[in-house]
Amino acid sequence: MIKSMTGFGRCEVSEGDRKITVEMKSVNHRYLDVSMKMPKKLNFFDSMIRGILKEYIQRGKVDVYVSYEDLSEHTAALAYNAGLARQYVEYFRQMEEQFGLKNDMQVSVLARCPEVLVMEEQAEDEDELCHLLTQAVRGACEKFVETRVREGGALKADLLQKLDEILETVMFIETRSPQILAEYRQKLEAKVRELFADAQIDENRIATEVTIFADKICVDEELVRLRSHVEAMKAALEVGGGIGRKLDFIAQEMNREANTTLSKANDLEVSNRAIDLKTAIEKVREQIQNIE
């Protein structure tokens, strides 16, 4: 099973008055890079969430967004700071004596003093919150993986088609190579006859020159290795899994063989096909960058 490195997943889990929503999306990256945005009260679960993500994802830059809603009536409570209120009363009394002012302190006035009455969030049930969050994260991951697998299937089909095109080009070069030698021999013999019309052609000398030329343009080893790399890549695609790095390495080796083939090309048709070969391999490499 091939997975793309781009994907999207979303899951919403509700229980009573609580609701947790997890959204995640990813793009290509050499390694697993996770960025999370969530309410402060959920920061405690950061390590747990990352652990779950690693079960589903190997590579990619992943952005995770977590939202939490609690519509219950007991999310916050009013707290009375009696010690601070007592200090306010004492200072007001001192101010009355010091400045000779009337102390018109009333409960309503005291209640408006900073920090006398404050709103405090009620403590959450961490086990229950962890259960809801785990459900939401795993649900989002499963949908996220589904999109990656679906796109991975399309990538696999496209890569296999491109690899077949590369093999067709390799086959053409293999077929063309013997023809190049035959044409070179004919040209060489014709040139010798033109220069030495009355002289007898030295077949051994002609054979030697053809052999030297054949050695210069021989790409048999490069084409054999190229075929081997193509078959290795096809086999890896069929096996599936986290093969992105492996495929990228194979593509680099394929490109090396194509470069050597192009450098040895002494024929216009082979040269053009070698350029096509490099272009096709580069397209393969671009697609491989999307595979996990």
Side-chain angles (χ1 to χ4, degrees), residues 76-169:
L78 192 62
Y80 167 49
N81 192 332
L84 186 61
R86 188 176 299 109
Q87 292 183 47
Y88 274 118
V89 172
E90 179 61 30
Y91 281 121
F92 286 146
R93 185 178 295 114
Q94 292 179 20
M95 293 167 66
E96 177 187 12
E97 296 174 354
Q98 182 177 358
F99 300 107
L101 299 174
K102 179 182 178 181
N103 188 350
D104 57 353
M105 173 60 65
Q106 296 180 358
V107 173
S108 59
V109 176
L110 183 61
R112 288 197 293 270
C113 292
E115 304 299 325
V116 173
L117 296 177
V118 295
M119 297 292 292
E120 291 184 347
E121 289 189 0
Q122 296 290 79
E124 296 279 359
D125 185 337
E126 289 188 0
D127 291 338
E128 184 178 342
L129 198 56
C130 179
H131 175 69
L132 287 176
L133 186 57
T134 299
Q135 280 187 295
V137 172
R138 289 194 179 277
C141 283
E142 289 170 2
K143 294 178 180 178
F144 175 79
V145 170
E146 286 178 8
T147 62
R148 281 188 150 198
V149 169
R150 186 163 53 249
E151 186 173 340
L155 286 174
K156 176 183 176 181
D158 184 65
L159 282 171
L160 289 174
Q161 179 182 348
K162 285 180 169 57
L163 291 174
D164 286 337
E165 292 174 359
I166 290 174
L167 287 178
E168 289 179 6
T169 304

Side-chain angles (χ1 to χ4, degrees), residues 185-203:
R185 184 184 184 96
Q186 291 175 0
K187 290 179 182 178
L188 191 60
E189 290 178 349
K191 191 68 174 178
V192 170
R193 288 193 182 93
E194 180 182 342
L195 294 174
F196 308 102
D198 299 330
Q200 185 177 0
I201 297 177
D202 187 348
E203 292 294 337

Side-chain angles (χ1 to χ4, degrees), residues 25-262:
K25 61 180 181 178
S26 71
V27 293
N28 303 350
H29 199 273
R30 290 185 65 187
Y31 309 104
L32 177 58
D33 180 14
V34 178
S35 174
M36 287 194 288
K37 293 183 179 179
M38 56 186 173
K40 289 184 178 179
K41 66 171 59 181
L42 300 181
N43 284 344
F44 176 77
F45 301 103
D46 183 277
S47 178
M48 181 204 72
I49 295 174
R50 292 180 185 276
I52 294 175
L53 294 177
K54 288 180 180 179
E55 296 178 19
Y56 294 86
I57 311 167
Q58 294 181 4
R59 295 174 66 200
K61 187 180 188 316
V62 185
D63 293 316
V64 181
Y65 305 91
V66 182
S67 63
Y68 174 62
E69 296 180 42
D70 189 348
L71 304 179
S72 63
E73 298 178 356
H74 306 292
T75 57
L78 192 62
Y80 167 49
N81 192 332
L84 186 61
R86 188 176 299 109
Q87 292 183 47
Y88 274 118
V89 172
E90 179 61 30
Y91 281 121
F92 286 146
R93 185 178 295 114
Q94 292 179 20
M95 293 167 66
E96 177 187 12
E97 296 174 354
Q98 182 177 358
F99 300 107
L101 299 174
K102 179 182 178 181
N103 188 350
D104 57 353
M105 173 60 65
Q106 296 180 358
V107 173
S108 59
V109 176
L110 183 61
R112 288 197 293 270
C113 292
E115 304 299 325
V116 173
L117 296 177
V118 295
M119 297 292 292
E120 291 184 347
E121 289 189 0
Q122 296 290 79
E124 296 279 359
D125 185 337
E126 289 188 0
D127 291 338
E128 184 178 342
L129 198 56
C130 179
H131 175 69
L132 287 176
L133 186 57
T134 299
Q135 280 187 295
V137 172
R138 289 194 179 277
C141 283
E142 289 170 2
K143 294 178 180 178
F144 175 79
V145 170
E146 286 178 8
T147 62
R148 281 188 150 198
V149 169
R150 186 163 53 249
E151 186 173 340
L155 286 174
K156 176 183 176 181
D158 184 65
L159 282 171
L160 289 174
Q161 179 182 348
K162 285 180 169 57
L163 291 174
D164 286 337
E165 292 174 359
I166 290 174
L167 287 178
E168 289 179 6
T169 304
V170 169
M171 187 179 300
F172 173 85
I173 297 175
E174 289 174 337
T175 303
R176 176 64 182 155
S177 293
Q179 298 174 4
I180 296 174
L181 291 178
E183 292 171 1
Y184 178 75
R185 184 184 184 96
Q186 291 175 0
K187 290 179 182 178
L188 191 60
E189 290 178 349
K191 191 68 174 178
V192 170
R193 288 193 182 93
E194 180 182 342
L195 294 174
F196 308 102
D198 299 330
Q200 185 177 0
I201 297 177
D202 187 348
E203 292 294 337
N204 291 333
R205 181 59 179 170
I206 294 292
T208 301
E209 291 295 330
V210 171
T211 301
I212 294 172
F213 178 74
D215 185 61
K216 289 182 179 180
I217 68 168
C218 181
V219 290
D220 290 350
E221 292 184 11
E222 287 78 6
L223 296 181
V224 168
R225 283 195 292 267
L226 192 50
R227 276 185 175 277
S228 175
H229 294 326
V230 170
E231 295 303 328
M233 188 173 288
K234 282 187 172 184
L237 287 170
E238 294 300 331
V239 173
I243 58 173
R245 290 192 181 95
K246 179 179 180 180
L247 295 184
D248 188 53
F249 175 76
I250 296 175
Q252 291 179 36
E253 295 301 309
M254 291 169 61
N255 190 57
R256 184 176 292 109
E257 304 303 339
N259 283 334
T260 305
T261 300
L262 180 60

Side-chain angles (χ1 to χ4, degrees), residues 12-31:
E12 184 179 293
V13 176
S14 300
E15 188 173 291
D17 295 319
R18 295 176 174 177
K19 181 173 72 173
I20 292 180
T21 304
V22 176
E23 289 187 0
M24 51 194 301
K25 61 180 181 178
S26 71
V27 293
N28 303 350
H29 199 273
R30 290 185 65 187
Y31 309 104

